Amino acid sequence: MTSPSELDPFETHTGRPRSMPAPPPPSPPPAFDNTEAAPVYARFTDTDTMTLPPDPFIARPASRSAGITAQNVSAWFGDHKVLERVSLDMAPNRVTALIGPSGCGKSTFLRILNRMHELVHGAALAGVVELGGTDIYRGNLPVTETRRRIGMVFQKPNPFPTMTIAENVVSGLKLSGMKSTRSYAEIVEDCLVQAGLWNEVRNRLAAPGGSLSGGQQQRLCIARALAVEPHVLLMDEPCSALDPTSTRRIEETIAEICERITVVIVTHNMQQAQRVSQSCAFFLAGENEPGRIVESGPTERLFSEPEDTRTLDYVRGRFG
Amino acid sequence: MTVLDARPIADAGDVPLRVVVRRNPADRVYRGVARGGGVATLTLMGFIGGFLLLRSFHVLNARGFAFLTEKRWLAAQNGPFGIAAVLPLTFEIAIVAIVIAVPVATVAALFLTEYAPRRVRRLLTSLVDLLAAVPSLIYGLWGLFYLQPHLVHVSKWLSDHLGFIPFFHVQNGTALSAFTSSTFIAGVVVSLMVVPVCTTVMREVFAQAPQGEKEGALALGATKWGVVRTVVLPFGRGGMIGGTMLGLGRALGETIAVTFIISPFFQPRASILANGTHSISALIALNFSESVSNPTARDGLIAAGLALFVVTLGVNAIASTIVARSRSGASTEI
């Protein structure tokens, strides 16, 4: 266990070695494989999210997805234990949804996966988190590089308001000191297309990021997160503040990017979890007890025939 | 209360309702007190300005534009007097102070809000507040007896190596005595007093930088400095400018420390390292005792005070406007 004193909330590694070791091979096959029930996504035909023909000038990066594994993860805020021995495999190229009522530790778990948890004063954690087989807490990977590889989209859209839309997209490249062979203009277009925002903003890339609507801001944040070429994208209730149209577009974006990136999404919306995810984990915290995973597995099974009655009650909307 | 009219509301006519707010007595008393406080502040300001204007009016009237163009101050000797030298020199001292204080204050404020461990932060914050409370006389004494003997070497070095820049050029700059009592030394001492004011203003603004945006930057793989550059500094820009202006206001009015350091000089000049400078507040302090018995000289000093009052008021008005305008991205809250 890591005691609170060992976690310095102000510690930030500066400078990333220019030559990072190549990402290790993907982790072993996931514990829960859902090959039988391949999900079918509704394809909307509006211009913004139409599947684009392959563009020879935009080289789509090959899959860089890496699985992320948590073993026996516990978490504390001061003396208050919020998570207990949570283990979960989040397989590469899949969408894993974390569901459960408020206060059950889903978001805390998500923030542990990219080392954002330790930024909170008094926060502590125990257990092992591995990205493609590399321990992100005990390994040699600098924390900034860990966070670049494991991107995050937050509940509340947080574009940089003083930057333009285009600057927002490439901000991560500058912040993480990442070198890219592609020009900024290409990256801006590619990432905005992936995030389903390109058609709405193509003529005003120089407008401030704050001038967009909430749903557009959130898609801008997704584009920004994709620009640094993460292996994993964590999404903390990305649609909870958005209208249904924006929600739909973001779900389509998730379906598209999970071909290349591992996605972990926290959601309060049961239908959303069913729509976007292939795997699902149900978190629950008893009264005055830390949160635990009650059940995890293929989304289809968890929603149709869960093993635990509490899961059944939750997914049927009987509580939470 | 009247009984609600039974007619449909549509019949009342499509005109804006006259909104009447009935306040309870406690609310009315509170509003009265608050309003009284606000009015008192403005009244006080008006009284000071009015007094200065009234007392100096006949002098200003008699001297006319000469008051603004005359460099010498020979009022006590019944000679000509004006602020053409002391006003620019006042600004020179203040600008030297700001140029030194603002970078120091910015870095200190960033350290306090972003880098310092929690316990150190609390300690240092109260220390900075304490520094702001140290009487300027103490700064003046320390500056005169400790800083000046050391700073003259810095002045000489600057003059020797950067003398080709007009600011650092000193004629006959071979002896150390040519560098004492200069604008530079007075400015350094004043900057010590300005740093805590600037730091406090900037720290408060930096501390309000939105957590969501900071986490957004961190989640992209940013270092601490990256967060400061992309989120904290753009957010705090208004506060930095405001803090600078408030510091400038304080620097312009600083009296006793400047009075200690300077040797009076009545010629505006570019060189900040050379012996001899002046400021309006130091002028008033130095000439006051010999001027009280001479009405013209006394009211001339009051006229100089009026000039300082107007300038300081202007600087602070600009500062508060900038602070209030805050940042361009403030509208991003959903």
Side-chain angles (χ1 to χ4, degrees), chain B residues 93-308:
Chain B
I93 293 175
I95 287 167
V96 169
I98 287 299
V99 166
I100 296 169
V102 167
V104 174
T106 307
V107 176
L110 282 177
F111 177 73
L112 285 175
T113 50
E114 299 299 321
Y115 290 91
R118 204 158 271 254
R119 256 168 284 163
V120 177
R121 179 186 314 177
R122 213 170 293 158
L123 180 74
L124 280 181
T125 305
S126 34
L127 269 180
V128 169
D129 292 345
L130 211 64
L131 273 181
V134 172
S136 57
L137 181 86
I138 309 295
Y139 282 107
L141 286 174
W142 188 67
L144 178 63
F145 293 115
Y146 179 83
L147 266 187
Q148 173 152 294
H150 292 84
L151 277 177
V152 286
H153 297 285
V154 178
S155 297
K156 180 144 172 47
W157 188 91
L158 283 173
S159 166
D160 288 349
H161 293 88
L162 299 168
F164 57 89
I165 304 170
F167 297 124
F168 299 136
H169 180 71
V170 176
Q171 279 180 334
N172 312 320
T174 45
L176 281 175
S177 62
F179 298 99
T180 55
S181 307
S182 67
T183 302
F184 172 67
I185 291 170
V188 170
V189 175
V190 172
S191 78
L192 300 177
M193 289 170 248
V194 174
V195 164
V197 180
C198 287
T199 308
T200 304
V201 174
M202 291 187 199
R203 179 178 58 81
E204 275 167 17
V205 180
F206 291 158
Q208 288 167 15
Q211 189 63 23
E213 283 166 37
K214 285 159 82 172
E215 289 196 338
L218 286 171
L220 291 166
T223 58
K224 197 70 153 175
W225 169 237
V227 175
V228 167
R229 220 165 17 125
T230 47
V231 179
V232 179
L233 286 179
F235 178 85
R237 203 181 51 207
M240 286 174 68
I241 298 171
T244 304
M245 296 300 239
L246 288 179
L248 184 62
R250 173 149 197 204
L252 286 170
E254 179 44 45
T255 309
I256 194 72
V258 176
T259 312
F260 275 0
I261 304 277
I262 61 158
S263 59
F265 183 79
F266 291 95
Q267 191 69 41
R269 60 174 166 193
S271 173
I272 59 168
L273 297 178
N275 179 303
T277 184
H278 222 320
S279 83
I280 291 184
S281 45
L283 173 88
I284 297 172
L286 284 171
N287 289 282
F288 190 73
S289 54
E290 61 179 35
S291 301
V292 272
S293 51
N294 179 338
T296 310
R298 184 192 63 205
D299 294 344
L301 288 180
I302 290 175
L306 178 69
L308 183 63

Side-chain angles (χ1 to χ4, degrees), chain B residues 20-31:
Chain B
V20 180
V21 182
R22 288 226 180 101
R23 297 199 174 82
N24 68 14
D27 194 18
R28 253 178 287 166
V29 168
Y30 176 75
R31 287 174 77 90

Side-chain angles (χ1 to χ4, degrees), chain A residues 18 32 72 107 118 165 174 176 227 231 284 286:
Chain A
R18 282 291 145 226
F32 37 81
N72 288 325
S107 291
E118 67 208 54
I165 292 170
K174 293 172 184 165
S176 62
H231 304 210
L284 190 61

Side-chain angles (χ1 to χ4, degrees), chain A residues 169-219:
Chain A
V169 176
V170 293
S171 59
L173 299 172
K174 293 172 184 165
L175 281 170
S176 62
M178 214 176 105
K179 295 276 178 289
S180 180
T181 52
R182 299 189 295 161
S183 73
Y184 278 169
E186 276 176 60
I187 295 170
V188 167
E189 176 168 355
D190 184 30
C191 294
L192 286 173
V193 167
Q194 286 188 64
L197 188 60
W198 174 249
N199 285 351
E200 288 160 65
V201 300
R202 59 193 304 171
N203 294 323
R204 50 177 179 137
L205 292 174
S211 67
L212 299 172
S213 74
Q216 291 173 326
Q217 287 188 16
Q218 191 64 301
R219 280 178 280 152

Side-chain angles (χ1 to χ4, degrees), chain A residues 10 111 119 121 144 147 158 161, chain B residues 118 121 212-213 215 219 221:
Chain A
F10 302 98
R111 290 169 63 88
L119 296 170
H121 180 71
T144 50
R147 294 200 187 113
N158 54 1
Chain B
R118 204 158 271 254
R121 179 186 314 177
E213 283 166 37
E215 289 196 338

